[in-house]
Amino acid sequence: MPGNAFVYGTLMADEVVRLLIKRVPASKPAVLKGYTRYKVKGQVFPAIVPSKDARVEGKVLLDLSDKELHVLDVYEAEEYYRATVTPVLEDGTELTADVYVWKDQYSHNLNPEPWSYDEWREKHLSAWVSRLNPDGAHPEGDM
């Protein structure tokens, strides 16, 4: 049964998704309420954690297969867990999606500065894509 994924960081880039799952699924802009996005110390990717009265802008990747979701599980690494959430689309429609949330035990690695997709895309996308393992593993090394 196809599933959806709310993405808020590097997976918002079609170039990254295409390398990982060999296609770019349909997607829609969305907001996830009750979470805050942070920079991860020493990294160029973000993390989200539950947070009252907060919201994260991103998009929902639609109709992902179980195999594609598994590839995203591998990509997101051990610091994240997959949770089921209800993001809100631009037209106000809510839908069910999975999201990758930063585990509490790694909270000391979060930087309180906000993370910017546009800044990441401009400064880091090219290096990120060039070093991404086509089998779905996380890029290695510092970027």
Side-chain angles (χ1 to χ4, degrees):
M1 183 168 142
N4 303 315
F6 177 82
V7 296
Y8 55 85
T10 61
L11 290 172
M12 289 174 56
D14 290 346
E15 299 90 336
V16 172
V17 173
R18 184 179 296 112
L19 278 172
L20 293 172
I21 66 170
K22 314 304 183 226
R23 72 181 184 100
V24 177
S27 65
K28 293 187 177 186
V31 171
L32 181 60
K33 296 177 182 175
Y35 289 85
T36 299
R37 178 173 45 208
Y38 293 104
K39 289 182 177 180
V40 175
K41 291 178 184 174
Q43 302 295 336
V44 299
F45 55 85
I48 63 168
V49 295
S51 177
K52 289 185 178 183
D53 301 324
R55 54 183 262 153
V56 174
E57 293 185 14
K59 69 180 182 180
V60 177
L61 303 177
L62 301 165
D63 299 323
L64 299 171
S65 70
D66 288 341
K67 182 178 178 183
E68 290 169 335
L69 285 168
H70 176 72
V71 169
L72 299 185
D73 289 344
V74 172
Y75 175 76
E76 290 297 354
E78 69 179 40
E79 293 89 358
Y80 297 87
Y81 66 91
R82 189 183 343 162
T84 301
V85 293
T86 310
V88 180
L89 303 179
E90 286 182 317
D91 66 3
T93 304
E94 295 183 349
L95 54 86
T96 301
D98 289 336
V99 68
Y100 294 92
V101 180
W102 195 252
K103 293 178 181 175
D104 287 342
Q105 70 216 52
Y106 299 108
S107 61
H108 61 280
N109 290 328
L110 296 179
N111 179 333
E113 295 177 34
W115 183 87
S116 165
Y117 173 74
D118 292 334
E119 179 182 328
W120 173 83
R121 188 168 179 83
E122 179 182 325
K123 294 181 179 180
H124 303 288
L125 175 64
S126 179
W128 192 265
V129 168
S130 71
R131 296 177 71 183
L132 190 62
N133 181 329
D135 295 324
H138 203 280
E140 294 185 9
D142 296 325
M143 285 196 238

